[in-house]
Amino acid sequence: MRRALRSEQGGRIDRSKPLDFVFNGKAMQGYAGDTLASALLANGVRMVSRSFKFHRPRGIVSAGVEESGGLLAVDHGTGLQPIVRSTQMPLVDGLRAESQNCFPSLNFDLLRIFDVTRSLWPAGFYNKIFKWPNWHVYEWAVRRAAGLGRLPDGARSARFCHMNAHCDVLVVGGGPSGLSAALQAARAGEDVLLVELDVEPGGSLLHDASGLDGQPPLAWLARTLAELQATGNVRILTLATVVGYYDCNVLTIHDRVAAYRREDPIEVFWKVRAGRVVLATGAIEQPLMFGNNDLPGIMLAGAMQKYAGRYAVRCGQRVVAVINNDLAWRSVLALPGAGIGLDAIIDSRHSINDALLDQAREHGIDVFPGASPVAAAGSTAVRKLQFRDHDGRARTIACDAIAMSGGLSPTLHLYSQAGGRLRYDQRLACFLPQECRQDVVVTGAANGEFATPETYNIGSRKPSAANSSVQWVDFLHDVTVSDVELACRENLRSVEHVKRYTTTGMAADQGKTSNLNALTLLGELTGRSPGEVGTTTFRPMFMPVTMGAIAGVRRGEFYAPAKRLAAHDWHATQGAVFEDYGGWQRPAYYGSDRDACVRRETLLVRQAAGLFDASPLGKIEVQGPDAAEFLNRIYIHSVPTLKQGKVRYSLMLNENGIIIDDGVFVRLADDHFLLNTTSAGANAIAAWLEEWQQCEWPRMELVINPVTSQWAVVTVAGPRARDVLCSLAGMTDLSTQAFPHMSFASGVFEDGCPYRIQRVSFSGELSYELSVPANRATGFFERIWDAGQPFGIGLFGIESLMILRLEKGFLHVGGDTDTTSNPFDAGFGRVISNKRGDFIGARSLQRAEDRRNDRRQLVGFEVVDRDAVVLAGAHVVTGTGDARRSEGFVTSACHSPTLARTIGLALLERGFERGGEEIQLYDQGRLVTARIVDARFYDPQGERMHG
Amino acid sequence: MLRLDCPFCGTRDEAEFRCGGDAHVERPGQDVSDATWADYLFNHDNPKGLHLERWCHVFGCGQWFNVARDTLTHEIHAVYYMGEAAPERYR
Amino acid sequence: MKGYSAFSLIRNALQGHRHWQPLWRNPEPKRSYDVVIIGAGGHGLATAYYLASKHGIRNVAVLEKGYLGGGNSGRNTQVTRSNYFWPQSAAFFDHSLKLYEGLGLDLNFNIMFSQRGVLTVAHSQHEIEMMRRWTNALQINRVDSELLTPAEIRQIEPLINLHSRFPVVGGYIQRRAGISRHDAVVWGFARAASALGVDIIQQCEVTGLDITDGAVTGVQTNRGDIDAGKVCIAVAGNTSMLAAMAGFRVPIVSMALQAMVSEPVKPCLNTMLGSTTIHMYVSQSDRGEIVLGGGADAYPSYAQRGGIPIVEENVAAVLELLPAFSSLRLMRQWAGINDITPDTTPIMGSTPVRNLYISGGWGTGGYKAIPAGGDTMAYTIANDEPHALIRDFGLDRFERGALIDEGAASGVAH
Amino acid sequence: MADRIEMRSIVSLKVARQSVDRARACMHLAEPLRACGSDPQSLWLGPDRWLLVSDTTTAAVIIDSCQRALAGILHNAVDYSSGLAVFRLAGVGARQLLATGTGIDLRPASFAAGSCCRTRLAQVAAVIVAAHAEVFEVYVDRSYETYLANWMAESSSICFSYLGVARG
Ligand SMILES: Cc1cc2nc3c(=O)[nH]c(=O)nc-3n(C[C@H](O)[C@H](O)[C@H](O)COP(=O)(O)OP(=O)(O)OC[C@H]3O[C@@H](n4cnc5c(N)ncnc54)[C@H](O)[C@@H]3O)c2cc1C
Ligand SMILES: NC(=O)c1ccc[n+]([C@@H]2O[C@H](COP(=O)([O-])OP(=O)(O)OC[C@H]3O[C@@H](n4cnc5c(N)ncnc54)[C@H](O)[C@@H]3O)[C@@H](O)[C@H]2O)c1
Ligand SMILES: Cc1cc2nc3c(=O)[nH]c(=O)nc-3n(C[C@H](O)[C@H](O)[C@H](O)COP(=O)(O)O)c2cc1C
Ligand SMILES: [Zn+2]
């Protein structure tokens, strides 16, 4: 470490804790309390990186969030991360930093060619060229040249989580203003959350030695923090940045306090609901526009003061100040005291406060009032400055650093995000808060209270006239004064057009040090005041936030909650292969070879008995004197005619007449029904019923109570199903006479376990659905399993169930129907014409469009060549070549294990009248011939199901 | 992020609710014209500014209620029960 | 209009770029126009351009309440594809894609159409079946599409995580699809239209319509009244407001659709990658930012800004498929107001008011439609008869119940 | 830190909206956003919905007493003991753990012992009851039991590790 650059004393660094780090392969040292930027500066590093577009040298410009030069790739234990702001990166031991955007190296960058040929690449150049033959020819090269840094290739080891909070007052910013506001609220008994993005609260107090309330700043800070602590109702977050301000006083915070430890780094994303908000976010110093104002060594004046005061770092030995306001005087006049040689102050204002002039004189500093900078010079760091004195004489002064200041701009990003309106203040030459509909106040520097009691006086921020060097507006996107001029010339004069055309303010810093200059310049060029020009829209994020933090723990199994069956583990021991069906992890089949398993399971149900876990089926109780009438308006079938203990199948429609769900319902008692919905529809249909009752028919007397999860359901299907179940002690009489198809009963097993049983069939076999409380599911499955062994029982999963039902031509809502299918299309026309009275969707079915007979109708087909493969998703086509047209599509298909041929269902134009017709099925260029047949492929009379 | 005042549970985050669109829509009878029916099914006033809409507290009490909300500023002016008429000044 | 070329760029560079012409003029509004188009987004400007270039109707004004291109055309995620399910949609959007392919040369303005492919992944057997249904429809409608295996997907997008919470079991790609530069499309049309004599009038808000005997005769604006032979509404999320001025209601809800960008990095994503189950779509701009989007705030809004829940959803979804992005930082989030129709198909053609036309209901996917929308609307206005490609997109389809439900058929609707 | 409570009897009670006032007069039912009583304890879920829970009485007995108390009042009381999984969270970190997954106001003043609310926790619907100071009970649909248990393990591990620093 070059000792000369680090003062022996002062600053808030801990000299007893040296930290090692590496920059571009070179070992360096800093101290605890340093940022990466301060440590680099202390090690004499000037050029740290290269710029985005022209690969110009970049040095550290600021000491805060506004950094535009010192963006590095940094590994602090979690792999190399791109675009890390070195000014915000606390130095940690073993940190590794690398320059970005240089090829092949920082000192020798071939892509500097773009800088040399700069005049060929003005704003919007790409709109004018690269059109022929097409953009693709050039795009790859452009893409490779663009981009800041590289995506980290290794998986990152940081962990993320969210935190939710409520508070009476959220104070953003821990400077003197924020601390005062927090104290005031805490004294009044309010619950306060104070958030500071720096490693400790204090803000400007931490480096600015001028007193506060007549006290030394650090003494005031210590006393205030102690008092805050004592109130007991203040929480302080540090290394936490408020990044978003949304409706209803909801703010988001990116909390990095645990992000930089080597062991278990963690980032937390907070969502705070605040009663009211105090924004004490301070202000950001703005640069000035002059030639080569982007050279390393040119820094913001306040930053230079901060490096000296807080980190004991001298940013230069021969410094020239280029400033236009009184506050900057205060900053630069603090430099000599820190051992920094300040040679000259160039201030564009003609008259300057005498007290300031006196101080300058005391330090032996040359002052040039009414002078303006023309251009800096140097290759990889600034070496001299050309300027024009008040007489217009060109002069040159040697220097190794320039402290520049174009005045302050209050940090009002969050205020604007909140919907706050800004007004331009002529005297302060910046935007100030005006009014906001949310409960928020702005205080301190953020409110334009820059300096008390001095009056703040600021001069012009114009670029220097007649200049052969380039003057930079946006350091990150390499936008120049002439780019803005070009935009105006081409009539892109709205501030939004200028932003998009030149890309000023669109870089990673979102224009924190370029927006004000750009819009002031635009105003100059178009004869408008900055207030008339206005700002572009401020939007979250105030500072970029790692996407991992935004997602929190929502990764992998926590990305979307999976539902599990009560007997999940039991299925697993039986070899179940689980897949996701509508959020449920369900056995797709049991075994290893998908096709073989599905085939075996299907035949098992047809030949003996199969056991299926149907627990996710939706179950809703509806009870009350108006229950029957209510359900009559929900289902397309008549409900009041259903007898107690009987089951009926029906469809539900939406008001547009589209099928949304199907299932059976049971009449448990005269005024009491139990509905089954599809598994996927369980929640939605319960909500659907509630909505109709609460909003449309509130006077109907009934209660709706969903009970889906209470009951585990097992389907036992197959010719031996009855034999299996009858062997269970306490089972109701299942004989066909006592318990025909579509019956329901409930009872209690011998062990006291209650059950419900209904005889319904989705497989076309003799089939029962038996429900028991889900807590007993596993034991119950085992019992049936044992009871079924003599009858050859086996398990079957969803995949074979889908084949079983397809062999019967049963409808699968959502598969065989889509959001255009009405009940006519699905073959329920008779039901509709028999139904009396209003029901949901009824009126829509009267439209001519819904009754057209050339609609797509659901029909069965079999392939002519029995074994040809057809997959769901094939289309029915007519014509060839350009005249080829789709008449519909296959909604389900399989090679039936039972029938030993390929069958399927299709939604086909005029399908109902085309029985027997041969059709062509198209799939990815392949054609297969099929014939339209009765969709009840297997057991068309339903003898097995009713038997 | 919106925070809505459920009349039963108090203020909660938007993620607990579902917006059900226009409030006070009258369901016509079966004997209306296709045009009237289509107007009921599909059309909206969709105003910029004050909007009367219905919301359901799905992750809470499960109740539907009405909200007078500004679609431009997202300010919530009033919350009132299902079946209740809108407060005079928001009609 | 002075032509743009590498040659003109070099010549101008030598002259310090002092001689470039304005992209468009800033005329004062005239008293009267043959056609007034409300809204200087992509659709309004393209309609004006084709009216002037194809139909010789040049006495046209495009009125814009803000700055041109400041609506959705200037804030969308640039997805340009034609993989629509229904034949009417496929024909229309593929016409648009073909126009896009030649648009840079046509307008003499590089719109940077990057046909890098739109890749959609599937996470279940059911989704694969739907995808098969979808791709076959495309092939029959002569739109390119290829089903892909997970291994093929990984080859195209090496960063993809095939074993996400919903494993990737397949997918498909439309290779001719991709992204193009949204601002360039708007500015290119504006420049070309202005050169043909179209008046583009910014900061001019339409506040009322003059209607006599059921026909529109002019518009009222904050810059005075303007007579018009015909008027076309092309205001995206504000369609309902304009319809209300004309005295009718439309089946539209305005919703804030969000998008966001990360800090820029070197190329790492090759296609426009999307998923319907894991609700997201993502691409990388030529500058290097990762542009992501997918969700609309779930309530009507005209606020042109988004909340936080959608950001969380979207980002989590992207990381589920692309975990390597977890340490990339999100830089900005914004929103645009979309005009959502019940069937996610646009509303184009005549209205209950004579001489008043509508080009709206573009919802979350009208950017890709800009050239075809302009082309067909210009025809429709010029001939007072719907262009063949948009015959089924009329407002009357709702009364008939003849919806064209694309939302269901082709998933993510951008 | 999160234990699963097994064998709790739970009855889901839904009362017709028209009859809620009468029902409350006939039976001790918790006030909005409160839990009250002990055997059974009644948890308010909404203006027409309660859970009646007990570790000693069976669901059948609770349903029976409902039936008797609410004779002539339209209601539906069903055994829901299998429908929900119940977790108990105790200790200083319990509030913070919950705060990583739900947006409700968990400050002690707002969510003191005896509070009960149905809300969204880690994306799923949950009923959170403040049983005693720093002891919470969480009810979720049983199908989410494994998910939520894993989520709590993961979130508490991250959140406590973080708090170690944040408090530090
Ligand atoms: C976040 C987001 C992402 C999207 N992503 C895609 C995508 O990837 N692919 C895709 O194809 N589409 C996408 N879209 C949709 C697409 O952007 C729009 O459909 C399309 O831009 C609509 O163009 P337009 O010209 O109709 O409307 P706009 O571009 O919105 O133009 C309408 C103009 O009308 C003006 N206006 C409104 N009212 C008045 C008035 N009273 N007087 C005068 N002027 C008025 C507005 O100021 C506006 O400039 C996206 C949209 C959003 C918001
Ligand atoms: N020593 C002194 O006497 C002295 C010094 C400086 C300032 N002052 C007075 O104090 C005022 C300036 O102090 P101030 O408190 O307004 O500003 P400040 O700059 O001191 O503090 C602002 C703080 O807000 C933080 N911040 C900004 N945005 C944030 C975000 N989004 N999230 C979290 N933290 C964020 C910053 O890191 C900073 O610490 C002026 O009025 C000045 O007159 C006095
Ligand atoms: C494809 C695309 C890429 C964008 N890239 C950036 C970007 O790199 N930097 C940036 O600040 N904004 C970017 N934006 C967002 C714009 O700054 C702006 O937010 C958006 O156009 C909406 O406008 P508004 O925020 O002014 O309302 C991008 C927008 C789009 C549509
Ligand atoms: Zn509620």
Side-chain angles (χ1 to χ4, degrees), chain D residues 122-142:
Chain D
Q123 303 184 60
V124 300
V127 180
I128 304 178
V129 182
H132 318 286
E134 305 314 310
V135 178
F136 300 87
E137 290 181 351
V138 176
Y139 295 71
V140 285
D141 193 281
R142 72 159 306 127

Side-chain angles (χ1 to χ4, degrees), chain A residues 726-738:
Chain A
C726 283
S727 65
L728 300 175
M731 177 50 73
T732 191
D733 179 359
L734 295 181
S735 65
T736 295
Q737 300 80 340

Side-chain angles (χ1 to χ4, degrees), chain B residues 6-58:
Chain B
C6 168
F8 305 97
C9 306
T11 310
R12 301 283 181 88
D13 293 351
E14 112 189 11
E16 292 196 12
F17 299 89
R18 184 163 81 79
C19 179
D22 303 352
H24 311 296
V25 176
E26 274 208 42
R27 184 170 187 257
Q30 295 259 54
D31 42 7
V32 295
S33 68
D34 279 359
T36 308
W37 184 250
D39 188 57
Y40 156 71
L41 271 187
F42 301 120
N43 286 344
H44 307 275
D45 288 338
N46 192 30
K48 180 189 288 189
L50 180 72
H51 188 220
L52 304 181
E53 55 200 16
R54 64 185 198 193
W55 288 73
C56 179
H57 192 188
V58 278

Side-chain angles (χ1 to χ4, degrees), chain A residues 477 496 499-500 503-508 510-511 536-539, chain C residues 67 69-78 179-183 259-264 283 285 287-291 304-305 331-336:
Chain A
H477 263 171
E496 299 288 3
K499 160 182 152 178
R500 286 158 177 80
T503 75
T504 186
M506 295 181 79
Q510 293 284 290
T536 54
T537 308
F538 294 91
R539 295 197 178 275
Chain C
Y67 63 97
N72 294 336
S73 301
R75 56 187 66 242
N76 66 77
T77 44
Q78 318 183 130
I179 58 176
S180 50
R181 187 79 200 152
H182 58 290
D183 287 331
M260 50 218 98
V261 287
S262 75
E263 294 179 322
S283 67
S285 81
R287 245 193 333 255
E289 316 100 57
I290 304 296
V291 180
Q304 236 178 52
R305 64 190 146 79
M331 181 162 83
R332 188 172 173 100
Q333 104 186 71
W334 67 93

Side-chain angles (χ1 to χ4, degrees), chain A residues 859-876:
Chain A
V859 294
F861 68 83
E862 57 184 26
V863 298
V864 171
D865 165 11
R866 297 174 69 91
D867 295 325
V869 177
V870 169
L871 298 173
H875 277 247
V876 185

